[in-house]
Amino acid sequence: GEGKLQKQTDTYLIDAVSFGDAETRVLEEVKPFVFMGQEVEMRAIKKVIYNEVLPDENGRFWYKAKVVLTTIDENAAKEKKITTNILVQSVDIENAYKSINQLMKGAITDYTITNLQETSIVDVLSLVKNAE
């Protein structure tokens, strides 16, 4: 008999200037993986902000971390908390945690990883590569 069409939903993170730009570039990216007659539908686009992205070519999963930095406001003589969002690619959650601690090691402020969870992201597209 005929093979049934399998639906597959993938989540991509893309650095884009607009929703239209994001849609165009994601569809361009998935085109080589689409078989004849298959349809690709963009179900949703939402804006997310990551202050830092830590890719790891050995990593299979993307984790999002919320890190709270505690600084002292010298003028007001009180603590100030700043939340930063980090996306980290890793083989598992323990190694994601280690990568974040490695990143934060040089920080001059105290920090706390208040949340670390796996995302549904399958790929991060067009990350700006640091100039060598």
Side-chain angles (χ1 to χ4, degrees):
E2 288 286 307
K4 275 210 175 359
L5 264 176
Q6 291 290 315
K7 278 194 175 183
Q8 177 181 339
T9 303
D10 289 328
T11 304
Y12 292 89
L13 178 71
I14 187 162
D15 187 7
V17 293
S18 67
F19 285 146
D21 178 41
E23 182 173 19
T24 303
R25 289 178 34 216
V26 168
L27 292 174
E28 197 62 39
E29 192 72 26
V30 299
K31 201 184 281 177
F33 307 105
V34 177
F35 298 110
M36 288 293 286
Q38 274 187 322
E39 285 182 26
V40 176
E41 177 188 14
M42 185 75 74
R43 297 297 295 271
I45 301 177
K46 73 176 182 188
K47 182 178 180 177
V48 292
I49 295 174
Y50 289 106
N51 305 88
E52 194 83 45
V53 178
L54 303 175
D56 174 357
E57 63 225 16
N58 301 316
R60 287 188 34 233
F61 308 102
W62 287 96
Y63 298 90
K64 65 178 177 184
K66 184 184 271 187
V67 179
V68 177
L69 306 169
T70 307
T71 61
I72 303 294
D73 182 336
E74 297 294 337
N75 300 332
K78 64 179 183 192
E79 284 189 348
K80 184 178 171 190
K81 294 191 181 304
I82 301 163
T83 301
T84 183
N85 295 307
I86 299 173
L87 187 69
V88 58
Q89 186 180 23
S90 191
V91 290
D92 59 30
I93 200 160
E94 281 93 37
N95 282 293
Y97 188 80
K98 286 180 191 164
S99 294
I100 294 162
N101 280 313
Q102 190 65 35
L103 172 75
M104 299 304 297
K105 210 168 60 176
I108 50 173
T109 61
D110 288 339
Y111 69 93
T112 309
I113 299 171
T114 59
N115 192 347
L116 179 61
Q117 67 187 73
E118 189 179 329
T119 71
S120 59
I121 294 169
V122 293
D123 203 2
V124 172
L125 308 176
S126 72
L127 284 175
V128 179
K129 299 280 185 281
N130 290 335
E132 302 291 291

